[in-house]
Amino acid sequence: MSAPHTDVEEVEAANTAFYEALERGDFDALSSLWLTPSDLGVDEEWHDPADTGVISCVHPGWPVLTGRGEVLRSYALIMANTDYIQFFLTDVHVSVTGDTALVTCTENILSGGPPPQGEDELGPLVGQLVVATNVFRRTGAGWKLWSHHASPVLAENSGDEDDETPT
Amino acid sequence: MSAPHTDVEEVEAANTAFYEALERGDFDALSSLWLTPSDLGVDEEWHDPADTGVISCVHPGWPVLTGRGEVLRSYALIMANTDYIQFFLTDVHVSVTGDTALVTCTENILSGGPPPQGEDELGPLVGQLVVATNVFRRTGAGWKLWSHHASPVLAENSGDEDDETPT
């Protein structure tokens, strides 16, 4: 594959790197993909009323987590409780406006927990259908994640005219 | 109340206007709050490889909707099936970076459907706990919604150290 040369390709590569870091359980790689205010030239000692570059994250079914402390801690917990996770991404759509990129995708997830006590094998594999909106920001060190919001798809709903409204 | 004079106040006002349009069932107001590529100077006849300003929306439990056609049609359907809806917003957090703003909030929703056949009263009121990530873009006509992602909160989870990981 040739090196990405457009914004859309760069953003797609950053989005893929995010899921690959999760699959590998690579906490350092994951941390480096999330935006820090200093990536944007904001002095983190200063109280910034606009909260420039402050990250947020919603895992499926969870409330909002705000700031690197809460967000990264949640990933440490998830990694500690996940022995196997694989993301099959479909419907990846990228919209780039200036220095911000919005990625939506379907995360077809297959995951397994640690083995039950006294056993060597993985816990049962579980499939999940999740949709995500990922917001990236252009920085001097590449595109970084500003927000991740993932949620379970609870009903078949293709966007056709006979769709039911949510209840 | 004095006129908003900072980016954060302007974004908060746009976010409030979005939920107020939903409460009133005001489809035209709602439509005008969503970004159009032409707000950003993009000629909509041109095939833009970066999909600049293309909107997306995820309702709780739904798959992703992309583009004004799908997104606005979903709101028309929701409005047609909702006689009463009220949003009590809590935990509103705004992060502004350049011309993009990220708003996260908790939507405490109280809603009711149309009356059952042959009755005059509203259908039963239903409470829902939903969290949202709303992305706004600065335009010449004010801050406009680029993305809305809302999802049900399925478990009590306050971000404390004894949180459980999602399953």
Side-chain angles (χ1 to χ4, degrees):
Chain A
M1 199 177 109
S2 59
H5 59 282
T6 68
D7 285 348
V8 169
E9 287 170 322
E10 284 178 12
V11 169
E12 282 174 346
N15 193 61
T16 301
F18 169 63
Y19 290 103
E20 287 179 348
L22 288 171
E23 287 181 339
R24 294 195 311 272
D26 186 338
F27 184 78
D28 291 341
L30 187 80
S31 303
S32 73
L33 289 167
W34 279 92
L35 188 64
T36 61
S38 62
D39 288 331
L40 302 167
V42 175
D43 177 356
E44 301 197 27
E45 299 296 307
W46 177 59
H47 174 69
D48 170 13
D51 273 359
T52 305
V54 169
I55 63 174
S56 61
C57 178
V58 179
H59 300 297
W62 283 41
V64 179
L65 306 175
T66 304
R68 287 183 67 88
E70 282 190 12
V71 172
L72 295 180
R73 192 152 50 89
S74 74
Y75 280 107
L77 276 165
I78 290 170
M79 287 179 178
N81 287 279
T82 307
D83 271 23
Y84 174 87
I85 190 160
Q86 193 158 7
F87 295 88
F88 302 91
L89 299 186
T90 53
D91 312 313
V92 178
H93 181 258
V94 178
S95 169
V96 180
T97 303
D99 292 333
T100 309
L102 198 71
V103 180
T104 55
C105 56
T106 302
E107 304 174 354
N108 304 272
I109 305 176
L110 192 63
S111 63
Q117 214 172 359
E119 295 184 28
D120 290 337
E121 307 256 319
L122 279 176
L125 289 177
V126 179
Q128 271 185 291
L129 185 61
V130 167
V131 287
T133 300
N134 299 325
V135 184
F136 290 86
R137 187 77 195 172
R138 191 198 309 268
T139 77
W143 292 90
K144 301 283 184 178
L145 254 181
W146 185 12
S147 164
H148 167 70
H149 191 140
S151 61
V153 178
L154 301 177
E156 289 299 319
N157 189 316
S158 62
D160 293 339
E161 290 201 359
D162 56 355
D163 287 347
E164 293 186 7
T165 53
T167 50
Chain B
M1 198 177 109
S2 60
H5 60 281
T6 68
D7 285 346
V8 170
E9 287 170 322
E10 284 178 13
V11 170
E12 283 174 346
N15 194 62
T16 301
F18 169 63
Y19 289 104
E20 287 179 349
L22 288 172
E23 287 181 339
R24 294 197 310 273
D26 186 337
F27 184 78
D28 291 341
L30 187 80
S31 302
S32 74
L33 289 166
W34 280 92
L35 187 64
T36 62
S38 62
D39 288 333
L40 303 167
V42 175
D43 177 356
E44 301 197 28
E45 299 297 306
W46 177 60
H47 174 70
D48 171 14
D51 272 359
T52 304
V54 169
I55 62 175
S56 61
C57 177
V58 179
H59 300 296
W62 284 41
V64 179
L65 306 176
T66 304
R68 287 183 68 89
E70 283 190 12
V71 172
L72 295 180
R73 191 151 53 88
S74 74
Y75 281 106
L77 276 165
I78 289 170
M79 286 179 178
N81 285 279
T82 307
D83 271 21
Y84 174 87
I85 190 160
Q86 193 158 6
F87 294 88
F88 302 91
L89 299 187
T90 53
D91 312 313
V92 179
H93 181 258
V94 178
S95 169
V96 180
T97 303
D99 292 332
T100 309
L102 198 70
V103 180
T104 55
C105 56
T106 303
E107 304 174 355
N108 305 271
I109 305 176
L110 193 63
S111 63
Q117 214 171 359
E119 295 186 28
D120 289 338
E121 307 256 319
L122 278 177
L125 288 177
V126 179
Q128 271 184 291
L129 185 60
V130 167
V131 288
T133 300
N134 298 326
V135 184
F136 290 86
R137 187 76 195 175
R138 192 197 309 268
T139 77
W143 292 90
K144 301 283 183 177
L145 254 181
W146 186 12
S147 165
H148 167 70
H149 191 139
S151 62
V153 178
L154 300 177
E156 289 298 321
N157 188 317
S158 61
D160 294 338
E161 291 202 357
D162 57 353
D163 287 349
E164 293 185 9
T165 55
T167 52

PDB file of all heavy atoms in Angstrom, chain A residues 148-167:
ATOM      1  N   HIS A 148     -14.695   9.914  20.992  1.00  0.00           N
ATOM      2  CA  HIS A 148     -15.168   8.605  20.516  1.00  0.00           C
ATOM      3  C   HIS A 148     -16.507   8.363  21.189  1.00  0.00           C
ATOM      4  O   HIS A 148     -16.606   8.467  22.414  1.00  0.00           O
ATOM      5  CB  HIS A 148     -14.153   7.522  20.903  1.00  0.00           C
ATOM      6  CG  HIS A 148     -14.638   6.107  20.756  1.00  0.00           C
ATOM      7  ND1 HIS A 148     -14.863   5.511  19.535  1.00  0.00           N
ATOM      8  CD2 HIS A 148     -14.932   5.154  21.687  1.00  0.00           C
ATOM      9  CE1 HIS A 148     -15.269   4.256  19.723  1.00  0.00           C
ATOM     10  NE2 HIS A 148     -15.321   4.024  21.024  1.00  0.00           N
ATOM     11  N   HIS A 149     -17.530   8.103  20.402  1.00  0.00           N
ATOM     12  CA  HIS A 149     -18.850   7.779  20.971  1.00  0.00           C
ATOM     13  C   HIS A 149     -19.326   6.498  20.298  1.00  0.00           C
ATOM     14  O   HIS A 149     -19.522   6.464  19.080  1.00  0.00           O
ATOM     15  CB  HIS A 149     -19.837   8.930  20.734  1.00  0.00           C
ATOM     16  CG  HIS A 149     -21.123   8.795  21.503  1.00  0.00           C
ATOM     17  ND1 HIS A 149     -21.760   9.855  22.109  1.00  0.00           N
ATOM     18  CD2 HIS A 149     -21.895   7.717  21.787  1.00  0.00           C
ATOM     19  CE1 HIS A 149     -22.863   9.440  22.719  1.00  0.00           C
ATOM     20  NE2 HIS A 149     -22.969   8.142  22.528  1.00  0.00           N
ATOM     21  N   ALA A 150     -19.481   5.441  21.076  1.00  0.00           N
ATOM     22  CA  ALA A 150     -19.902   4.143  20.538  1.00  0.00           C
ATOM     23  C   ALA A 150     -21.185   3.716  21.226  1.00  0.00           C
ATOM     24  O   ALA A 150     -21.354   3.928  22.424  1.00  0.00           O
ATOM     25  CB  ALA A 150     -18.814   3.101  20.769  1.00  0.00           C
ATOM     26  N   SER A 151     -22.095   3.114  20.445  1.00  0.00           N
ATOM     27  CA  SER A 151     -23.379   2.722  21.046  1.00  0.00           C
ATOM     28  C   SER A 151     -23.898   1.457  20.383  1.00  0.00           C
ATOM     29  O   SER A 151     -23.638   1.184  19.204  1.00  0.00           O
ATOM     30  CB  SER A 151     -24.397   3.850  20.908  1.00  0.00           C
ATOM     31  OG  SER A 151     -24.640   4.164  19.559  1.00  0.00           O
ATOM     32  N   PRO A 152     -24.634   0.665  21.167  1.00  0.00           N
ATOM     33  CA  PRO A 152     -25.175  -0.584  20.637  1.00  0.00           C
ATOM     34  C   PRO A 152     -26.282  -0.315  19.636  1.00  0.00           C
ATOM     35  O   PRO A 152     -27.071   0.611  19.807  1.00  0.00           O
ATOM     36  CB  PRO A 152     -25.747  -1.272  21.888  1.00  0.00           C
ATOM     37  CG  PRO A 152     -26.044  -0.168  22.846  1.00  0.00           C
ATOM     38  CD  PRO A 152     -25.038   0.912  22.563  1.00  0.00           C
ATOM     39  N   VAL A 153     -26.322  -1.121  18.575  1.00  0.00           N
ATOM     40  CA  VAL A 153     -27.454  -1.070  17.651  1.00  0.00           C
ATOM     41  C   VAL A 153     -28.476  -2.071  18.168  1.00  0.00           C
ATOM     42  O   VAL A 153     -28.213  -3.269  18.243  1.00  0.00           O
ATOM     43  CB  VAL A 153     -27.021  -1.415  16.211  1.00  0.00           C
ATOM     44  CG1 VAL A 153     -28.218  -1.393  15.270  1.00  0.00           C
ATOM     45  CG2 VAL A 153     -25.968  -0.423  15.742  1.00  0.00           C
ATOM     46  N   LEU A 154     -29.638  -1.529  18.586  1.00  0.00           N
ATOM     47  CA  LEU A 154     -30.606  -2.357  19.315  1.00  0.00           C
ATOM     48  C   LEU A 154     -31.675  -2.931  18.417  1.00  0.00           C
ATOM     49  O   LEU A 154     -32.393  -3.831  18.807  1.00  0.00           O
ATOM     50  CB  LEU A 154     -31.267  -1.538  20.426  1.00  0.00           C
ATOM     51  CG  LEU A 154     -30.291  -0.971  21.465  1.00  0.00           C
ATOM     52  CD1 LEU A 154     -31.034  -0.125  22.476  1.00  0.00           C
ATOM     53  CD2 LEU A 154     -29.545  -2.096  22.165  1.00  0.00           C
ATOM     54  N   ALA A 155     -31.820  -2.397  17.205  1.00  0.00           N
ATOM     55  CA  ALA A 155     -32.887  -2.883  16.324  1.00  0.00           C
ATOM     56  C   ALA A 155     -32.379  -2.890  14.905  1.00  0.00           C
ATOM     57  O   ALA A 155     -31.514  -2.093  14.540  1.00  0.00           O
ATOM     58  CB  ALA A 155     -34.106  -1.978  16.438  1.00  0.00           C
ATOM     59  N   GLU A 156     -32.906  -3.769  14.104  1.00  0.00           N
ATOM     60  CA  GLU A 156     -32.644  -3.713  12.677  1.00  0.00           C
ATOM     61  C   GLU A 156     -33.259  -2.438  12.151  1.00  0.00           C
ATOM     62  O   GLU A 156     -34.417  -2.143  12.416  1.00  0.00           O
ATOM     63  CB  GLU A 156     -33.290  -4.906  11.964  1.00  0.00           C
ATOM     64  CG  GLU A 156     -32.591  -6.220  12.252  1.00  0.00           C
ATOM     65  CD  GLU A 156     -31.151  -6.215  11.791  1.00  0.00           C
ATOM     66  OE1 GLU A 156     -30.864  -5.700  10.698  1.00  0.00           O
ATOM     67  OE2 GLU A 156     -30.289  -6.717  12.549  1.00  0.00           O
ATOM     68  N   ASN A 157     -32.481  -1.665  11.416  1.00  0.00           N
ATOM     69  CA  ASN A 157     -32.979  -0.368  10.965  1.00  0.00           C
ATOM     70  C   ASN A 157     -32.077   0.079   9.844  1.00  0.00           C
ATOM     71  O   ASN A 157     -30.953   0.513  10.072  1.00  0.00           O
ATOM     72  CB  ASN A 157     -32.932   0.630  12.125  1.00  0.00           C
ATOM     73  CG  ASN A 157     -33.636   1.922  11.783  1.00  0.00           C
ATOM     74  OD1 ASN A 157     -33.452   2.446  10.691  1.00  0.00           O
ATOM     75  ND2 ASN A 157     -34.447   2.413  12.696  1.00  0.00           N
ATOM     76  N   SER A 158     -32.582  -0.048   8.631  1.00  0.00           N
ATOM     77  CA  SER A 158     -31.716   0.208   7.486  1.00  0.00           C
ATOM     78  C   SER A 158     -31.858   1.607   6.920  1.00  0.00           C
ATOM     79  O   SER A 158     -31.256   1.945   5.924  1.00  0.00           O
ATOM     80  CB  SER A 158     -32.040  -0.795   6.383  1.00  0.00           C
ATOM     81  OG  SER A 158     -33.389  -0.597   5.996  1.00  0.00           O
ATOM     82  N   GLY A 159     -32.689   2.434   7.573  1.00  0.00           N
ATOM     83  CA  GLY A 159     -32.912   3.768   7.023  1.00  0.00           C
ATOM     84  C   GLY A 159     -33.994   3.788   5.966  1.00  0.00           C
ATOM     85  O   GLY A 159     -34.205   4.798   5.318  1.00  0.00           O
ATOM     86  N   ASP A 160     -34.693   2.651   5.782  1.00  0.00           N
ATOM     87  CA  ASP A 160     -35.763   2.613   4.785  1.00  0.00           C
ATOM     88  C   ASP A 160     -37.019   3.295   5.308  1.00  0.00           C
ATOM     89  O   ASP A 160     -37.134   3.594   6.484  1.00  0.00           O
ATOM     90  CB  ASP A 160     -36.097   1.156   4.422  1.00  0.00           C
ATOM     91  CG  ASP A 160     -34.939   0.516   3.690  1.00  0.00           C
ATOM     92  OD1 ASP A 160     -34.114   1.261   3.144  1.00  0.00           O
ATOM     93  OD2 ASP A 160     -34.856  -0.723   3.699  1.00  0.00           O
ATOM     94  N   GLU A 161     -37.988   3.457   4.385  1.00  0.00           N
ATOM     95  CA  GLU A 161     -39.160   4.249   4.748  1.00  0.00           C
ATOM     96  C   GLU A 161     -40.037   3.585   5.780  1.00  0.00           C
ATOM     97  O   GLU A 161     -40.810   4.257   6.457  1.00  0.00           O
ATOM     98  CB  GLU A 161     -39.985   4.549   3.494  1.00  0.00           C
ATOM     99  CG  GLU A 161     -39.257   5.526   2.602  1.00  0.00           C
ATOM    100  CD  GLU A 161     -40.166   6.242   1.644  1.00  0.00           C
ATOM    101  OE1 GLU A 161     -41.371   5.970   1.649  1.00  0.00           O
ATOM    102  OE2 GLU A 161     -39.655   7.098   0.902  1.00  0.00           O
ATOM    103  N   ASP A 162     -39.927   2.285   5.907  1.00  0.00           N
ATOM    104  CA  ASP A 162     -40.776   1.615   6.881  1.00  0.00           C
ATOM    105  C   ASP A 162     -40.093   1.456   8.238  1.00  0.00           C
ATOM    106  O   ASP A 162     -40.525   0.675   9.067  1.00  0.00           O
ATOM    107  CB  ASP A 162     -41.229   0.251   6.341  1.00  0.00           C
ATOM    108  CG  ASP A 162     -40.058  -0.621   5.958  1.00  0.00           C
ATOM    109  OD1 ASP A 162     -38.917  -0.111   6.038  1.00  0.00           O
ATOM    110  OD2 ASP A 162     -40.266  -1.776   5.587  1.00  0.00           O
ATOM    111  N   ASP A 163     -39.010   2.203   8.416  1.00  0.00           N
ATOM    112  CA  ASP A 163     -38.336   2.151   9.719  1.00  0.00           C
ATOM    113  C   ASP A 163     -39.288   2.551  10.823  1.00  0.00           C
ATOM    114  O   ASP A 163     -40.122   3.433  10.665  1.00  0.00           O
ATOM    115  CB  ASP A 163     -37.189   3.163   9.773  1.00  0.00           C
ATOM    116  CG  ASP A 163     -36.036   2.697   8.942  1.00  0.00           C
ATOM    117  OD1 ASP A 163     -36.032   1.525   8.538  1.00  0.00           O
ATOM    118  OD2 ASP A 163     -35.149   3.528   8.689  1.00  0.00           O
ATOM    119  N   GLU A 164     -39.089   1.918  11.951  1.00  0.00           N
ATOM    120  CA  GLU A 164     -39.818   2.370  13.120  1.00  0.00           C
ATOM    121  C   GLU A 164     -39.027   3.479  13.807  1.00  0.00           C
ATOM    122  O   GLU A 164     -37.809   3.534  13.720  1.00  0.00           O
ATOM    123  CB  GLU A 164     -39.999   1.219  14.100  1.00  0.00           C
ATOM    124  CG  GLU A 164     -40.914   0.158  13.505  1.00  0.00           C
ATOM    125  CD  GLU A 164     -41.230  -0.919  14.516  1.00  0.00           C
ATOM    126  OE1 GLU A 164     -40.851  -0.762  15.677  1.00  0.00           O
ATOM    127  OE2 GLU A 164     -41.871  -1.898  14.115  1.00  0.00           O
ATOM    128  N   THR A 165     -39.727   4.347  14.468  1.00  0.00           N
ATOM    129  CA  THR A 165     -39.035   5.363  15.252  1.00  0.00           C
ATOM    130  C   THR A 165     -38.587   4.722  16.551  1.00  0.00           C
ATOM    131  O   THR A 165     -39.124   3.703  16.967  1.00  0.00           O
ATOM    132  CB  THR A 165     -39.962   6.538  15.553  1.00  0.00           C
ATOM    133  OG1 THR A 165     -41.140   6.024  16.151  1.00  0.00           O
ATOM    134  CG2 THR A 165     -40.320   7.282  14.288  1.00  0.00           C
ATOM    135  N   PRO A 166     -37.584   5.324  17.198  1.00  0.00           N
ATOM    136  CA  PRO A 166     -37.103   4.727  18.452  1.00  0.00           C
ATOM    137  C   PRO A 166     -38.181   4.870  19.520  1.00  0.00           C
ATOM    138  O   PRO A 166     -38.973   5.799  19.482  1.00  0.00           O
ATOM    139  CB  PRO A 166     -35.885   5.565  18.809  1.00  0.00           C
ATOM    140  CG  PRO A 166     -36.080   6.858  18.119  1.00  0.00           C
ATOM    141  CD  PRO A 166     -36.900   6.572  16.895  1.00  0.00           C
ATOM    142  N   THR A 167     -38.221   3.973  20.432  1.00  0.00           N
ATOM    143  CA  THR A 167     -39.240   4.044  21.484  1.00  0.00           C
ATOM    144  C   THR A 167     -38.581   4.426  22.801  1.00  0.00           C
ATOM    145  O   THR A 167     -37.384   4.312  22.958  1.00  0.00           O
ATOM    146  CB  THR A 167     -39.946   2.688  21.646  1.00  0.00           C
ATOM    147  OG1 THR A 167     -38.939   1.685  21.772  1.00  0.00           O
ATOM    148  CG2 THR A 167     -40.803   2.403  20.452  1.00  0.00           C
TER     149      THR A 167
END
